[in-house]
Amino acid sequence: MTDLSRIGSLTLDDSGLPAPTPEVTQEREVAIFDLIEENRFMLVARKGQSPPAGPYHLDISVKDGRLIFDVKTEDRRPITSFHLALSPFRQLIKDYFRICQAYFDAVKRLPTGQIEAIDHGRRAMHNEGANLLIDRLSGKIETDLVTARRLFTLVCVLHFYG
């Protein structure tokens, strides 16, 4: 991987969605910041043609029940767009938000051992979502688990409120 195989900037299209909770807002901001700081994102050559080099600008949105990844050059010229059905993610996202809420509630009132147990489950579910995203993007985008985890957080935000 070169320094060019990465997302250099990102836009999350949450226009028209209700305002998220403070916890969701914080998760989204941290995911975007961490994603831009460190990520692996490489377009896969298709039909014998090599894609333009990055870094890339990524627009993520949800429209008509589909997750859309619009990949652009750094100066925002379109390169390609991937549309993924959200149905494989729906139950996982719902369960992930449920366990996140349990975690946020636990932090306020439960002992450390119980908080750690809930957090362990939350992380495992997050990894499951990231691996599903990697599978769904296979043949289109190559990424690592850390990047996919951050992207999954952003998918959750858009799907949950979208």
Side-chain angles (χ1 to χ4, degrees), residues 37-67:
E37 286 295 307
E38 179 184 351
N39 68 80
R40 179 176 180 266
F41 188 91
M42 188 168 61
L43 293 174
V44 175
R46 298 176 79 178
K47 299 178 184 172
Q49 297 209 4
S50 296
Y56 303 104
H57 175 81
L58 179 63
D59 287 328
I60 304 174
S61 61
V62 172
K63 291 184 180 117
D64 300 324
R66 302 194 65 77
L67 174 63

Side-chain angles (χ1 to χ4, degrees), residues 11-15 17 24 28 60-62 67-68 86 93 97 152-162:
T11 303
L12 191 64
D13 183 2
D14 59 358
S15 59
L17 301 179
V24 171
R28 177 180 61 197
I60 304 174
S61 61
V62 172
L67 174 63
I68 301 169
L86 273 171
I93 291 170
F97 266 100
F152 179 71
T153 299
L154 300 175
V155 169
C156 287
V157 170
L158 288 176
H159 178 265
F160 189 76
Y161 290 100

